Amino acid sequence: VIYLDNAATTYPKPASVVAAVTRAMTEAGGNPGRSGHTLSMRAGEEVYACREAVASLYGARAEQVVFTQNATQALNLSIRALAREGGHILISDLEHNAVRRPVAALGRERGGSWGIFPTGQGDPEQVRREIVRRLRRNTCLVVCTQASNLTSHRPPVAAIGALCRERGIPFVVDASQSAGSCSADLDALGADALCAPGHKGLYGPMGCGFALFSRRYLEEGGERLRPLLYGGSGVDSRPERMPSLLPERLEAGTLPVCAIAGLRAGVEMVRTLGQDQIHAHACGLFHRMRQGLEEIGGVTVYRPDEAGGVLLFSVRDRESEQIAAELDARGICVRAGLHCAPLAHRTLGTPPDGAVRISFSVYSTEEEVEEALAALRDVIG
Amino acid sequence: MIMKSEIITMPTYTRALQAKRVLAPFALPITVVRLSASAREQGCSYGLEVPASAMQRVLTILSREGIAYRAVRDRESVL
């Protein structure tokens, strides 16, 4: 099998990740932060070590890392924690449903409103102007992806963050497709929260993601942040309210220690390889794949000049799902359809049934690209 | 000789681990401990067991690093 669906989840996982999961399961099987015995403490150390590893990617402190089940939960948590009652929220025109749906739901539930700003070609000044034009007196939150999940386009999130800081508006960054291949400092991004899954570019197992909150919420005690989940936190159990300090305030319930241990190993691999080098590897594969696709008649590659780990294309008069199914029959795994991002598909102008997405990992090779191209010529040609 | 130790009660488990990490370079025998029920007004909590002789130094380091703690208690009263 040639796996080119790494934007959905990376596969295979590094051997170090598999080993870390096994080790956590066999040697640190207690519940972290719940007891005083050896196995609970070992599990707690595993979790804390992963907080440190994740924080180190973004110039943050371990206490800023809030573990969640996945990026979707992290985004729901961050959006709900930071948005004001009845406020107005702006999201980019490239957002995934993990942003669009919680924002729309919040509008319905809390009587707020929301709007979309265009990212265009990614010119920072242009994007800034588009946002400013749409700001309202009650705009209480801006959300933008750091990298599209459809193409390798990266909106100018640092410029958006700077604008939000000037205006005192909280800013959430969706790093679902950028974590692991895009170096960033949380403070430099101007983000109040950055959300990511553990199982994509950070090579951890499925079942763990995180929201990284700005240092200011450590200093202020975190009480402004409304939890998404309420329940056991392992400390201060008597009061009905959640603890005020991060990360416990936002981490009700038992953490997925094994997935977290695996995520730590994945992050360490990413740090060893280097995020810029990982991106450069993907760019090389992207260029070859794009070149090969453009030689096939009737193929449209979206944003072909922006290289990276994700390539989106459609074929004239062919359904994307049909192409993906025919590739699967030839042992090639890709993803077709709307990729849970109908808003972004509309922005790109793909056909109504969506498009085909090819996405690379550090394990993808030039040989696999050539094999996939041969299969595509067979399927399309 | 038995070394006398005291307990720094911490607001959360994560802050206890953070403090332990920050103090690690100083090679002090510090452990994270779960406090007894009688010591926990708000319910379950954790602390740092610290040699009494090093307490002042540890508190200075925690303050310098901005790590909040709740109180310093006798070991016998909280474990």
Side-chain angles (χ1 to χ4, degrees), chain B residues 22-23 56-69:
Chain B
V22 163
L23 293 165
Q56 203 48 54
R57 188 176 172 208
V58 165
L59 294 179
T60 301
I61 295 166
L62 294 184
S63 296
R64 191 177 66 212
E65 296 293 327
I67 299 174
Y69 59 90

Side-chain angles (χ1 to χ4, degrees), chain A residues 166-179:
Chain A
E166 284 167 29
R167 305 293 178 116
I169 301 168
F171 178 42
V172 173
V173 172
D174 178 1
S176 293
Q177 296 297 337
S178 53

Side-chain angles (χ1 to χ4, degrees), chain A residues 91-113:
Chain A
I91 69 173
S92 90
D93 61 357
L94 294 175
E95 297 309 310
H96 188 279
N97 276 346
V99 168
R100 188 180 72 130
R101 284 178 171 168
V103 165
L106 211 50
R108 289 193 299 271
E109 292 167 18
R110 294 193 199 165
S113 59

Side-chain angles (χ1 to χ4, degrees), chain A residues 83-162:
Chain A
R84 280 202 318 270
E85 202 82 29
H88 174 247
I89 301 174
L90 281 175
I91 69 173
S92 90
D93 61 357
L94 294 175
E95 297 309 310
H96 188 279
N97 276 346
V99 168
R100 188 180 72 130
R101 284 178 171 168
V103 165
L106 211 50
R108 289 193 299 271
E109 292 167 18
R110 294 193 199 165
S113 59
W114 62 287
I116 298 166
F117 65 88
T119 48
Q121 296 306 306
D123 172 58
E125 277 309 309
Q126 179 66 27
V127 173
R128 193 183 154 95
R129 278 195 295 273
E130 296 289 359
I131 294 173
V132 169
R133 281 177 50 197
R134 288 165 176 80
L135 288 177
R136 296 182 186 173
R137 266 193 327 177
N138 67 336
T139 300
C140 65
L141 187 69
V142 174
V143 189
C144 188
T145 184
Q146 193 177 20
S148 166
N149 72 313
L150 300 184
T151 70
S152 293
H153 176 64
R154 293 177 174 180
V157 285
I160 299 170

Side-chain angles (χ1 to χ4, degrees), chain B residues 3 16-18 20 26 30 33 43 48-49 54 60 62-63 70:
Chain B
M3 195 169 14
L17 288 171
Q18 178 193 16
K20 186 183 169 192
F26 299 92
I30 288 167
V33 292
L48 288 178
E49 185 167 7
T60 301
L62 294 184
S63 296
R70 282 183 170 159

